[in-house]
């Protein structure tokens, strides 16, 4: 997957914000392996799929109810997402 025109998002307040439609991702995304980047891209493009996949990493203690919660904290009305950092490793 090409990264032409890629930019970083702000991480104000320690929050990891991404806007995939504009290829805007936080620095930690760009420093991650291609597999991790692909997983986040898939998760943000397909949250309706991940919401039916259980998570097996034990994060239910953090309130996670599905694999979607391992990647996305919040989908915002403007098309941006607040990312869950745990899947960055």
């Amino acid at each position: 997957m090409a990264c032409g025109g890629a930019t970083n998002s702000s991480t104000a307040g320690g929050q990891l914000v991404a806007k995939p439609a504009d290829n805007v991702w936080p620095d930690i995304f760009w420093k991650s392996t291609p597999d991790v980047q692909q997983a986040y891209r898939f998760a943000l493009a397909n949250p309706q799929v991940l919401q039916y996949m259980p998570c097996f990493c034990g994060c239910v203690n953090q309130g996670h109810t599905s694999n979607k919660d391992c990647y996305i904290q919040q989908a915002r009305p403007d098309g941006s997402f607040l990312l869950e950092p745990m899947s960055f490793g």
Side-chain angles (χ1 to χ4, degrees):
M1 188 173 287
C3 295
T7 58
N8 294 334
S9 71
S10 67
T11 53
Q15 295 183 334
L16 301 175
V17 179
K19 192 162 188 180
D22 296 331
N23 204 28
V24 174
W25 300 88
D27 287 337
I28 192 171
F29 175 87
W30 297 116
K31 293 176 183 175
S32 298
T33 65
D35 288 344
V36 170
Q37 291 179 14
Q38 184 177 9
Y40 271 94
R41 287 183 190 277
F42 181 86
L44 273 56
N46 301 283
Q48 72 283 2
V49 173
L50 293 184
Q51 73 182 354
Y52 295 108
M53 295 177 158
C55 180
F56 300 103
C57 70
C59 58
V60 68
N61 296 332
Q62 296 176 358
H64 292 183
T65 60
S66 71
N67 202 256
K68 179 186 129 224
D69 296 332
C70 297
Y71 294 91
I72 302 169
Q73 286 186 12
Q74 179 185 34
R76 298 175 169 178
D78 67 356
S80 67
F81 292 85
L82 178 59
L83 302 181
E84 170 58 55
M86 74 173 294
S87 292
F88 284 113

